[in-house]
Amino acid sequence: MTSTNRFLNRLLVLVAGLALLAVGGAIAVGVLLPDARDAVSGVASDAPSAVSSTLSSAPWIPWAAAVACLLLIVLLLWFALRQGHGRTGTLLRVDASPGRGTPTGGSVTVDAKVAEQVLTDALSRVPAIVALDVTAFRVRRQNVLRVTAHTRRGASPVAVRSEIDRAVAHWDAVLGRETPVVIQIVAGLRTRVAKAARVA
Amino acid sequence: MTTPALYRRLVRRETHSSRAGAAIAVAVVLMLLLAWVGTELVLSALGQPALLVAPTDAVNALAGAVAAPAGIVVAIGAVVAVIGLVLVVVALTPARRDRRRSGLDRTAAVVDDRVIATSLARTAAYAGDVDPEQVHVTVARRRASVVVTPSSGRRTDLAAIRSAVDAEVADYDFTPALRANVRLTENGTVGA
C-alpha cells in the first residue's frame, strides 16, 4: 500500500547482482583460461604506470571522483529513505462548493482516526478478531483505508471478512460516501498470544 | 469511485514483497563503499596518509593479483559471482508472500495462509472430535494438507472430517484456489 517504487528496488538489486556476477565470473574464468590470463596480465602490468601518469597530468580526477561518490551517496540515501512512505492522516476532504452534498462556506476534513475508531468500535464485540489496525494511504490520488484484522486462532477467514464488510457498510452510512477499503486478515504475534476460538 | 483496477493493484502489492530489504541492504553496502573510496581519494589528493589503502596502492595490488595463486583468485571470483547470482534471482523472482486474495466486492481482501491453516485445523478437530493439537495443517500454494492424529483407542471418522473440511474449502473464494487433502496418521496419540 505504500508508495515504494518496487521497480526501482528490483532494478538496483538487479544491477548490483549483474555487476558482481560479471566481475566475479571474469576473475574466475580469466584466471582459469591461459589466453585470457595473458591478456589480463599484460593490461595489469601496464595499469599502474598508466594510472600514475594520468593522475600527474590531471590532478583534478581524484576530486571529481570524490564528488561523484558524494553525489551517488546522496542519491542512494534518498532512495533508502523514501521506502515505506504514503501514509496519510486525512481520509477525506470536501471543499466548499454550491452543489448538493458539499458544505457551504468552508471545507470538511475527516481524519483517518475517525474511521479507525468507528470500525474498531463496531468490531470490538466480534470474538474472532483480537485486534484491528486501520491506516489510511494515499494511492493514485485517492485515499485508501487499510484494515488489518488480527484473528483469533481457528477463526474462519470468510466469517471475519463478512463481519468487517458489515462494519464497513456501517461506516459508509456514517461517512456518506465510499472510500476504497483493503482488508488484511492476518495471524500475527497477537494471534499467538490470544486464546483460541472456542465456538464455531 | 472505487475502481477494480485500483483494488487489483493494491491486492497485488499486499500479496507480493516490495524487495525493500534487499534494495536497502545493497544501497547501504554501496554507500559505505563509496564513502570509503571518496575519503581515500580526498586524503591522497591532499597528500595525507590513507585510512586503509591509498588508491595507487590499491591499483598496484589489483594488478598484482593476477600473479597470485590461481586457486585463491578463482575462489574469490566464484564467491563474488555467487553473491551476484543470488541478487539477480532476488531481483527477478516474483517474491510472493504467503497470502491470497479474496473476491472483490465493496472491499478488497487479502488473507494470510496461517489464518486459513488454523481455521481448517479447527474445522477438522471439531468434525473428528479430537483436540486441535492433534491436527496438523500445511497450506501450500494450491493444496492444503490436513493430517489428523487420532486418539489411541478411539475410532476417528475420516469421512466426517473430510466432508467438513471440503465444505469449508468450498466456502472460500480465494485466488489461488485451494484443494484440501485429509489423511489420518498410522499411529494414534495417547492421553488425548
Side-chain angles (χ1 to χ4, degrees):
Chain A
M1 300 273 293
T2 59
S3 59
T4 302
N5 187 335
R6 298 187 163 199
F7 175 73
L8 218 54
N9 278 0
R10 282 172 183 266
L11 192 68
L12 178 72
V13 175
L14 182 69
V15 168
L18 285 178
L20 286 181
L21 195 60
V23 169
I27 292 173
V29 173
V31 170
L32 286 179
L33 298 178
D35 287 354
R37 186 175 184 158
D38 292 344
V40 171
S41 58
V43 174
S45 58
D46 296 345
S49 58
V51 168
S52 55
S53 69
T54 317
L55 280 181
S56 56
S57 66
W60 53 270
I61 286 182
W63 291 104
V67 169
C69 285
L70 195 66
L71 285 179
L72 271 173
I73 288 173
V74 170
L75 200 68
L76 286 169
L77 202 63
W78 167 82
F79 169 82
L81 291 181
R82 71 176 294 283
Q83 305 264 349
H85 284 207
R87 267 159 227 260
T88 169
T90 308
L91 177 63
L92 187 68
R93 189 183 160 82
V94 186
D95 287 318
S97 76
R100 236 181 106 242
T102 54
T104 49
S107 60
V108 175
T109 306
V110 180
D111 249 26
K113 278 273 178 220
V114 183
E116 181 185 344
Q117 287 180 4
V118 170
L119 289 174
T120 308
D121 185 56
L123 293 168
S124 61
R125 285 171 207 85
V126 177
I129 299 173
V130 179
L132 202 70
D133 293 331
V134 180
T135 323
F137 286 88
R138 184 108 185 122
V139 184
R140 295 202 166 168
R141 297 192 304 284
Q142 285 198 68
N143 288 349
V144 181
L145 267 189
R146 186 180 70 186
V147 178
T148 307
H150 301 262
T151 58
R152 209 170 279 284
R153 249 177 310 143
S156 158
V158 177
V160 168
R161 169 146 197 223
S162 62
E163 288 285 354
I164 298 176
D165 275 348
R166 206 169 307 150
V168 168
H170 169 64
W171 163 245
D172 285 344
V174 171
L175 187 65
R177 49 175 85 186
E178 294 188 357
T179 55
V181 176
V182 176
I183 300 167
Q184 278 186 314
I185 300 171
V186 299
L189 186 64
R190 279 182 268 186
T191 300
R192 234 167 291 159
V193 173
K195 287 186 179 123
R198 298 191 66 87
V199 193
Chain B
M1 194 167 141
T2 55
T3 56
L6 178 75
Y7 273 161
R8 271 198 293 275
R9 176 186 160 85
L10 292 176
V11 165
R12 195 187 148 75
R13 284 175 81 91
E14 290 300 342
T15 50
H16 292 73
S17 158
S18 68
R19 289 296 193 218
I24 290 175
V26 168
V28 167
V29 170
L30 267 178
M31 278 191 280
L32 290 176
L33 203 68
L34 285 170
W36 175 64
V37 169
T39 312
E40 295 289 11
L41 283 170
V42 170
L43 285 178
S44 78
L46 291 174
Q48 300 286 318
L51 281 180
L52 295 171
V53 186
T56 44
D57 292 348
V59 171
N60 288 337
L62 282 182
V66 178
I72 298 171
V73 178
V74 169
I76 292 173
V79 168
V80 170
V82 166
I83 294 173
L85 193 66
V86 169
L87 288 182
V88 169
V89 168
V90 164
L92 295 181
T93 46
R96 284 191 205 95
R97 297 166 76 183
D98 293 335
R99 295 176 155 191
R100 51 198 79 217
R101 68 171 188 272
S102 184
L104 294 184
D105 194 4
R106 159 70 185 91
T107 58
V110 173
V111 179
D112 201 321
D113 279 357
R114 275 186 294 179
V115 176
I116 297 169
T118 58
S119 178
L120 288 177
R122 200 198 50 176
T123 302
Y126 269 72
D129 194 18
V130 295
D131 194 85
E133 302 277 300
Q134 286 164 255
V135 184
H136 188 257
V137 182
T138 318
V139 176
R141 190 136 176 77
R142 293 181 188 282
R143 298 158 56 90
S145 100
V146 180
V147 180
V148 181
T149 309
S151 303
S152 204
R154 291 182 64 185
R155 189 185 293 276
T156 301
D157 190 351
L158 178 61
I161 298 176
R162 194 166 273 158
S163 70
V165 168
D166 284 345
E168 163 137 14
V169 169
D171 224 22
Y172 292 163
D173 58 348
F174 300 143
T175 322
L178 278 174
R179 276 217 342 266
N181 172 22
V182 183
R183 68 183 179 84
L184 295 179
T185 56
E186 301 267 320
N187 300 316
T189 179
V190 182

